Amino acid sequence: MESILELFNQNISSIILGMYIIMSGIIAMVEIIGKFSEIVGKPVTWVSNKNKDHELLIQTVNKLTALQEKQEKDVRESDRHDEEMRSDIKKLTDMFIDKEINDMRWEINNFATKVSEGKPCNKDSYKHCIHTWEKYEKLLEENGLENGEVEISMNVIRESYQQKLKEGF
């Protein structure tokens, strides 16, 4: 009990300072032993483990850097591929629309030629042609295109259709 009381009577700052000096000495000795063992070429286990950990950390950083570069390259490639696909889809869409317009134009003009030559046409053929013309006009409007020769053909078809309605089919 006396020793405990004696401990409490000691100057705390000198005890802390003493412990700090002892710890600093131990750390310095450990560093000196570690450096000496590296110089000699026979590192102690804790020094070699520390070096292995450091090497592993460097390898991990290098691999992560390479992985990040690869990911950035892959993203750029993916963006380029996406742009190519958009371009190809746009081309295909334009080709499809152009073909649809040409097919409808051909059908309307062909029917107008048939009507103007006086070949027999039934009421359903006229209705189908008028419906095709409406789809044709809508497709042109949706794509910002203009009607060309089909308007004349539609005038011929409308006149013939009105005359057939008056006279009968």
Side-chain angles (χ1 to χ4, degrees), residues 10-167:
Q10 297 293 321
N11 186 357
I12 296 292
S13 59
S14 355
I15 293 174
I16 292 175
L17 183 62
M19 291 173 85
Y20 178 75
I21 291 171
I22 292 171
M23 288 174 52
S24 298
I26 292 172
I27 291 171
M29 290 296 285
V30 167
E31 286 294 319
I32 290 171
I33 292 170
K35 292 291 181 189
F36 180 74
S37 66
E38 283 182 28
I39 292 172
V40 173
K42 302 274 186 185
V44 287
T45 305
W46 53 270
V47 171
S48 64
N49 286 344
K50 183 174 133 185
N51 290 341
K52 287 178 185 174
D53 289 346
H54 182 70
E55 285 296 318
L56 182 61
L57 183 61
I58 290 173
Q59 288 176 358
T60 304
V61 167
N62 290 339
K63 287 179 180 179
L64 282 173
T65 303
L67 187 62
Q68 184 178 9
E69 289 171 0
K70 172 109 174 73
Q71 190 259 348
E72 289 170 0
K73 179 184 171 196
D74 289 347
V75 166
R76 286 191 302 273
E77 280 291 311
S78 176
D79 289 346
R80 187 180 63 79
H81 285 239
D82 288 350
E83 189 57 40
E84 286 176 3
M85 287 175 61
R86 278 189 211 99
S87 175
D88 289 346
I89 289 171
K90 174 74 172 127
K91 286 177 187 174
L92 286 172
T93 302
D94 290 346
M95 287 172 54
F96 177 76
I97 290 169
D98 191 45
K99 175 152 179 30
E100 283 292 305
I101 289 170
N102 285 335
D103 288 351
M104 289 178 190
R105 184 179 295 142
W106 172 258
E107 187 175 338
I108 293 167
N109 287 338
N110 192 34
F111 188 73
T113 302
K114 190 175 177 181
V115 167
S116 64
E117 290 175 350
K119 294 184 178 174
C121 301
N122 62 23
K123 190 175 184 178
D124 289 335
S125 298
Y126 280 97
K127 286 182 177 181
H128 174 73
C129 188
I130 292 170
H131 181 68
T132 301
W133 176 75
E134 289 169 351
K135 289 191 323 190
Y136 173 79
E137 286 292 316
K138 183 178 179 186
L139 189 60
L140 289 177
E141 183 182 321
E142 287 173 352
N143 292 284
L145 301 171
E146 293 183 14
N147 187 350
E149 70 241 27
V150 176
E151 194 62 40
I152 297 168
S153 296
M154 281 309 298
N155 288 337
V156 169
I157 293 169
R158 278 191 209 107
E159 287 173 13
S160 174
Y161 185 58
Q162 287 174 356
Q163 189 174 3
K164 294 273 187 180
L165 286 174
K166 288 177 187 174
E167 297 173 0

